[in-house]
Amino acid sequence: MSVAAARACIFGVGGLALTSRERDFLRAADPWGFILFSRNVDTPAQVAALVAELRDAVGRKAPVLIDQEGGRVARLRPPHWRGWRPVAEIFDGRDEAVAREALALRYRVIAAELAALGIDVDCMPLLDLPTQGSHDVIGARALGTEPARVAERARVVCDALKAGGVLPVIKHLPGHGRSTVDSHEGLPRVSTDFATLDATDFAAFRPLAGEALGMTAHIVYEAIDAERCATLSPDCISLIRQGIGFDGCLMTDDLSMHALTGPMGARAADAIAAGCDLILHCNGDMPEMEAIAEATPRLAGQALARAQAALDARATPDAFDVDAAYARYLSLTGEDVHA
């Protein structure tokens, strides 16, 4: 399905169903995709109806994203969906092979729950490497602290999601683990030298550089660009493309986060100028979305090709026994049913 007319952005909406104003705006703006948050979630029937409403507004099967990592970051929760402990706990004291089996089962079950609602993109896995003294915004969300092992575990997550018909998003390029500030609240700065970053943070992403979707970090890496965060920095985007080798469709992290300042339209224009393919705006604020739509172009050139390639990567889920897989997962991890 072609997205040649779509605008290079992803929008959230305000509630459990579209307002008439939202519907009219989305029809005119025609964003590439949408993202759901807890404010958009009540029951499975309601979420599925909202997903259908969003797609109907743009007249195509636009991608619908969600942050369903499990643990602290989970938009779908009990009693309608399964609960999960932080992903880092899977690896505590367990044989690596057992832990990876549990990891694969966890994200295959999550994919099944998402696909049942029509959601086809999960903003997972993180490849961020937490370091001593870093902010806990990543913390137990991380898949580890050693680049090669994190990459291997992230590959398990990606494969499990894709088998379930859900596209993964690798994040937060080129690495959020050293941040001492939560980028939701302020602008982090990382002063680590380039050689160290290249051998650790950046190295974790290289084995996953072939994935279809990635997300930037709102972090200043002083060794690359001392003035602009990665999302807004041509030098950092070049590093993501050339140094890490990521050639997939690159979205910003949420432009409404407090790491960024200035008018919303200018943020969007600067991110596109830096080399991001898609603008992500999550809070559903209509004036902000209108400003972003005005400042964001329709997809064209390489951005269009990468966005189309991501959509073409969506696949029909493999046959899968969700209940048996979840039972096996519980036997491996000892988690409570409603963790």
Side-chain angles (χ1 to χ4, degrees):
M1 180 179 293
S2 174
V3 293
R7 199 169 301 276
C9 47
I10 300 164
F11 285 135
V13 294
L16 301 178
L18 293 185
T19 65
S20 58
R21 183 183 178 189
E22 286 174 331
R23 188 177 298 106
D24 291 345
F25 166 74
L26 295 173
R27 184 173 292 116
D30 193 18
W32 180 79
F34 306 98
I35 187 165
L36 301 183
F37 281 81
S38 298
R39 66 179 182 270
N40 307 123
V41 171
D42 184 16
T43 66
Q46 170 271 320
V47 175
L50 177 57
V51 169
E53 263 197 300
L54 291 167
R55 289 176 170 148
D56 181 66
V58 295
R60 56 187 162 80
K61 191 182 177 184
V64 177
L65 292 69
I66 198 166
D67 293 291
Q68 190 68 5
E69 300 173 12
R72 186 170 77 239
V73 179
R75 314 308 181 194
L76 307 176
R77 293 180 178 271
H80 296 298
W81 297 277
R82 293 171 179 84
W84 309 92
R85 291 177 181 166
V87 69
E89 294 185 13
I90 291 177
F91 304 100
D92 291 344
R94 289 192 177 87
D95 176 81
E96 183 68 14
V98 172
R100 288 191 194 180
E101 181 186 355
L103 190 68
L105 291 166
R106 170 178 168 131
Y107 287 97
R108 185 61 183 82
V109 170
I110 285 175
E113 292 188 328
L114 298 184
L117 302 170
I119 299 169
D120 52 9
V121 181
D122 191 5
C123 298
M124 182 69 187
L126 285 75
L127 286 95
D128 307 308
L129 307 179
T131 57
Q132 187 70 32
S134 62
H135 193 282
D136 67 359
V137 65
I138 300 299
R141 298 165 64 194
L143 291 169
T145 58
E146 192 277 319
R149 180 149 285 186
V150 166
E152 290 164 356
R153 292 170 177 174
R155 172 65 63 202
V156 171
V157 174
C158 288
D159 289 348
L161 289 172
K162 288 187 287 189
V166 174
L167 290 179
V169 179
I170 61 170
K171 63 184 187 183
H172 304 81
L173 286 151
H176 205 304
R178 295 179 186 273
S179 169
T180 57
V181 175
D182 181 350
S183 55
H184 293 85
E185 305 299 333
L187 178 61
R189 302 185 68 89
V190 170
S191 59
T192 307
D193 65 275
F194 182 87
T196 300
L197 290 171
D198 194 53
T200 54
D201 301 60
F202 307 162
F205 286 93
R206 288 194 183 98
L208 280 295
E211 290 300 321
L213 293 168
M215 180 185 293
T216 65
H218 298 331
I219 295 179
V220 173
Y221 302 87
E222 294 177 354
I224 306 167
D225 185 335
E227 303 298 325
R228 293 166 291 194
C229 72
T231 302
L232 307 180
S233 168
D235 291 336
C236 284
I237 301 303
S238 178
L239 178 280
I240 291 168
R241 294 297 192 195
Q242 307 302 323
I244 291 176
F246 179 71
D247 193 38
C249 191
L250 184 64
M251 68 185 72
T252 70
D253 205 344
D254 179 14
L255 287 198
S256 64
M257 290 162 62
H258 295 305
L260 306 182
T261 58
M264 204 58 64
R267 299 182 195 185
D270 288 348
I272 294 293
C276 294
D277 297 316
L278 294 169
I279 300 302
L280 176 64
H281 181 270
C282 296
N283 67 16
D285 181 274
M286 184 60 73
E288 291 185 2
M289 293 195 294
E290 290 170 341
I292 285 174
E294 184 175 353
T296 304
R298 294 189 180 272
L299 286 162
Q302 288 185 311
L304 171 59
R306 289 190 284 251
Q308 184 63 57
L311 295 187
D312 292 344
R314 294 184 295 188
T316 302
D318 297 339
F320 184 66
D321 186 331
V322 176
D323 291 336
Y326 188 54
R328 173 64 176 166
Y329 174 83
L330 295 178
S331 75
L332 293 173
T333 63
E335 287 190 23
D336 296 328
V337 173
H338 297 302

